[in-house]
């Protein structure tokens, strides 16, 4: 029997979280397993230098993802609001302009990335071996970024309608395809048959892009079966009002996401003081850690869609209910996941390498990071609610403070006062996140009531 359509304006909030967040979380788990698998292949099939190279390029790679996700969030919010207002014609136009905008942004990012990524990497680590490996990897990602952007654009329309299952299916399939392609493209071999010259770290990048490209076709077919697609009319003629609206939501969201990359860049810079092994350990641990954020990301995706449609339909009490229940679920989940990541820290690091120093640096970070896990829902759910309310600018300001300004100030003071201490660096981040998280909770409660006038 066909599944019942999701009604974001009437169904139980908890049931909507289950229907939207679980498929989204499962999909995102496989999406992030990309990076874990890539790191495992880099560390075990190539070298520790390749592992560090993929790790130190993450902030730059994340900028691509940040722009794509930002535009996707902006598009999702606007489409969800227009559906809530029962204006499907506008929904179709928003998607069309988002699709065109995604391609243009991908082209710009590729041009800028090819020209400036080398300088950014040198600032983190001037080791020539890891530098060359990083450039080989990221340049291919830049050229293939157009497929990443198109995939996110199509998914934004589906997500706004409550469909997170289609993207989940794409990510699961792409993950397994990536596992198959990685060893083949790295070595150039299929079983014992030498098909072509080994591509090394470039093979990892090609595997990622090919896996993303395949998913576009499936998502597009799914999109053609939705109510919004009936109003989609592809055209190269820009609608500047819609583009302005997309950018007004997408740019702050993208900048907010970029702050994560810049914050990661700052942390890797300070970690780099302790050597290449510290970078390899910290960045590998970060890839493992990301997996534990995924249920919260799924919950955030559901929050944006539910809040967006109900805000458009002027069901304001339901907006605040979504925030409260999402936060409650998030804190419980992340508390449990924090315990798991603490207990499994050393086991996880052994998956990436057998270098005892890399394992030590990585496992130490994971144990400390686990202490701040329950604080993260205060940021994620609050941000998702603001995005659904079309207040992405607030999310941007919070990201600038949380990922850039405060970490740089606090770590600099800690190092100046107590000297270079790897573990103390991250203990200071625990204190910072809890302090800002609880303050943000107080701010969100007052601001939401002001916006929706409860």
């Amino acid at each position: 029997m066909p599944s019942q359509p999701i009604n974001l304006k009437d169904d139980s909030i908890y049931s909507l979280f289950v229907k939207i967040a679980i498929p989204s979380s499962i999909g995102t788990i496989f999406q992030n397993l990309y990076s874990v698998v890539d790191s495992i292949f880099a560390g075990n099939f190539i070298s520790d230098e390749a592992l560090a190279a993929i790790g130190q390029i993450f902030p730059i790679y994340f900028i691509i993802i940040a722009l794509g996700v930002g535009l996707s969030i902006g598009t999702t919010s606007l489409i969800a609001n227009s559906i809530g207002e029962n204006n499907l014609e506008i929904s179709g136009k928003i998607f069309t302009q988002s699709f065109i905008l995604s391609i243009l942004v991908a082209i710009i990012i590729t041009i800028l990335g090819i020209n400036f990524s080398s300088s950014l990497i040198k600032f983190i680590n001037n080791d020539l071996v890891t530098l060359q490996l990083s450039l080989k990897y990221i340049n291919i990602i830049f050229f293939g970024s157009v497929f990443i952007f198109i995939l996110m654009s199509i998914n934004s329309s589906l997500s706004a309608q409550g469909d997170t299952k289609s993207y989940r299916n794409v990510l699961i399939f792409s993950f397994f395809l990536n596992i198959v392609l990685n060893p083949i493209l790295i070595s150039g071999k299929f079983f014992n048959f030498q098909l072509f010259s080994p591509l090394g770290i470039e093979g990892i990048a090609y595997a990622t892009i090919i896996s993303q490209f395949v998913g576009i076709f499936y998502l597009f077919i799914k999109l053609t079966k939705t109510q919004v697609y009936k109003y989609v009319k592809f055209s190269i003629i820009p609608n500047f009002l819609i583009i302005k609206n997309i950018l007004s939501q997408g740019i702050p969201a993208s900048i907010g996401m970029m702050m994560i990359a810049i914050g990661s860049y700052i942390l890797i810079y300070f970690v780099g003081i302790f050597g290449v092994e510290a970078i390899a350990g910290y960045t590998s641990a970060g890839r493992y850690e990301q997996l534990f954020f995924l249920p919260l990301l799924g919950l955030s995706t559901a929050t944006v869609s539910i809040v967006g449609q109900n805000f458009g339909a002027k069901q304001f009490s339901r907006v605040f209910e979504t925030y409260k229940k999402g936060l409650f679920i998030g804190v419980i989940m992340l508390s449990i996941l924090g315990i798991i990541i603490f207990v499994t820290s050393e086991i996880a690091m052994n998956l990436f390498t057998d270098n005892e120093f890399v394992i030590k640096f990585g496992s130490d970070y994971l144990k400390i990071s686990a202490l701040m896990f329950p604080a993260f829902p205060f940021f994620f759910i609050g941000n998702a609610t603001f995005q659904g309310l079309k207040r992405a600018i607030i999310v941007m300001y919070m990201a600038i403070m949380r990922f850039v300004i405060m970490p740089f100030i606090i770590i600099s003071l800690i190092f100046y006062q107590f000297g270079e201490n790897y573990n103390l660096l991250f203990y200071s981040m625990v204190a910072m996140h809890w302090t800002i998280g609880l303050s943000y909770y107080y701010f969100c409660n007052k601001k939401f009531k002001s916006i929706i006038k409860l």
Side-chain angles (χ1 to χ4, degrees):
M1 292 180 63
S3 60
Q4 292 294 316
I6 295 175
N7 189 328
L8 300 183
K9 293 180 284 185
D10 295 315
D11 291 352
S12 159
I13 300 294
Y14 282 130
S15 71
L16 288 174
F17 280 142
V18 171
K19 293 175 184 176
I20 302 174
I22 290 179
S24 177
S25 298
I26 293 172
T28 314
I29 285 172
F30 283 92
Q31 184 179 39
N32 280 265
L33 280 171
Y34 264 78
S35 60
V36 174
V37 168
D38 287 350
S39 294
I40 291 172
F41 274 107
N44 290 283
F45 278 60
I46 306 176
S47 64
D48 284 337
E49 287 80 8
L51 178 62
I54 287 183
Q56 71 183 15
I57 207 68
F58 172 75
I60 299 174
Y61 177 66
F62 195 80
I63 290 175
I64 301 173
I65 302 301
L67 285 168
V69 170
L71 290 175
S72 179
I73 288 173
T75 304
T76 299
S77 174
L78 292 174
I79 291 178
N81 271 263
S82 61
I83 292 173
E85 295 168 351
N86 294 316
N87 195 337
L88 295 179
E89 184 176 353
I90 290 295
S91 297
K93 290 180 179 179
I94 292 169
F95 168 73
T96 303
Q97 296 301 313
S98 170
F99 188 88
I100 296 169
L101 193 59
S102 295
I103 295 173
L104 293 176
V105 171
I107 293 171
I108 295 170
I109 282 297
T110 301
I111 294 171
L112 293 175
I114 296 296
N115 285 283
F116 294 106
S117 56
S118 176
S119 299
L120 292 173
I121 299 168
K122 285 179 182 177
F123 186 74
I124 295 175
N125 178 19
N126 59 8
D127 180 78
L128 291 179
V129 175
T130 55
L131 172 65
Q132 290 303 315
L133 289 170
S134 291
L135 290 176
K136 286 180 179 180
Y137 174 82
I138 199 62
N139 285 344
I140 294 168
I141 296 295
F142 278 127
F143 279 112
S145 64
V146 64
F147 304 128
I148 298 173
F149 277 74
I150 290 174
L151 197 67
M152 290 185 178
S153 176
I154 299 173
N155 180 57
S156 64
S157 178
L158 295 172
S159 181
Q161 299 173 77
D163 177 10
T164 55
K165 292 182 179 179
S166 296
Y167 195 46
R168 174 204 63 189
N169 296 341
V170 166
L171 293 173
I172 292 174
F173 174 79
S174 298
F175 165 73
F176 287 108
L177 179 60
N178 191 46
I179 290 179
V180 172
L181 291 176
N182 260 330
I184 296 173
L185 296 179
I186 290 171
S187 65
K189 292 181 179 180
F190 183 67
F191 292 106
N192 291 322
F193 298 99
Q194 190 72 45
L195 302 177
F196 47 83
S197 298
L199 297 176
I201 199 168
E202 292 173 290
I204 296 176
Y206 281 122
T208 297
I209 296 304
I210 293 170
S211 300
Q212 296 282 323
F213 176 72
V214 170
I216 291 174
F217 299 98
Y218 175 78
L219 278 194
F220 187 77
I221 291 171
K222 284 292 184 179
L223 177 65
T224 61
K225 298 177 181 179
T226 66
Q227 56 180 349
V228 169
Y229 187 75
K230 298 174 184 177
Y231 299 90
V232 172
K233 296 178 181 178
F234 287 102
S235 170
I236 60 172
I237 301 173
N239 184 316
F240 292 106
L241 178 60
I242 292 177
I243 289 176
K244 177 185 174 183
N245 289 335
I246 293 173
L247 292 177
S248 69
Q249 298 302 312
I251 289 177
S254 292
I255 292 175
M257 291 286 289
M258 284 182 197
M259 293 305 105
I260 299 175
I262 295 173
S264 178
Y265 190 85
I266 291 170
L267 284 173
I268 291 175
Y269 169 78
F270 282 107
V271 169
I273 293 172
F274 302 95
V276 173
E277 289 172 323
I279 292 176
Y282 166 68
T283 55
S284 300
R287 289 176 183 270
Y288 176 67
E289 178 190 44
Q290 287 169 26
L291 298 176
F292 292 82
F293 285 120
L294 304 185
L296 187 56
L297 289 173
L299 198 61
S300 299
T301 299
T303 301
V304 173
S305 301
I306 298 168
V307 169
Q309 283 205 23
N310 283 281
F311 185 59
K314 302 188 186 309
Q315 297 183 173
F316 300 138
S317 61
R318 201 167 153 82
V319 169
F320 198 66
E321 181 187 0
T322 301
Y323 166 69
K324 286 289 190 180
K325 290 182 175 178
L327 187 59
F328 174 72
I329 296 171
V331 171
I332 292 175
M333 280 198 310
L334 269 290
S335 298
I336 296 170
L337 293 174
I339 294 171
I340 295 172
I341 201 170
F342 184 93
V343 172
T344 62
S345 57
E346 292 183 8
I347 298 172
M349 287 307 302
N350 277 282
L351 295 173
F352 295 98
T353 180
D354 57 3
N355 184 310
E356 62 178 304
F357 296 106
V358 174
I359 292 171
K360 174 65 174 172
F361 279 117
S363 61
D364 282 354
Y365 165 73
L366 288 173
K367 289 175 182 176
I368 298 170
S369 174
L371 301 176
M372 60 182 159
F373 259 57
F376 289 124
F378 294 106
F379 302 107
F380 279 74
I381 304 303
N383 289 346
T385 305
F386 277 126
Q387 286 158 348
L389 294 171
K390 299 192 291 187
R391 300 294 195 280
I393 192 73
I394 296 174
V395 179
M396 181 188 75
Y397 290 141
M398 168 50 66
I400 292 172
M401 181 176 69
R402 178 187 165 208
F403 292 111
V404 180
I405 296 176
M406 294 304 294
F408 184 79
I409 293 173
I410 290 173
I411 296 172
S412 296
L413 288 174
I414 290 291
F415 275 29
Y416 175 78
Q417 189 70 32
F418 300 101
E420 296 170 357
N421 186 308
Y422 179 84
N423 285 358
L424 190 58
L425 184 163
F426 295 113
Y427 279 120
S428 69
M429 292 297 96
V430 172
M432 183 202 77
H433 275 91
W434 273 107
T435 302
I436 298 177
L438 293 175
S439 301
Y440 195 44
Y441 172 70
Y442 175 77
F443 170 79
C444 286
N445 274 276
K446 292 192 67 175
K447 193 66 176 178
F448 293 151
K449 290 177 181 179
S450 170
I451 293 172
I452 60 184
K453 296 180 173 58
L454 281 182

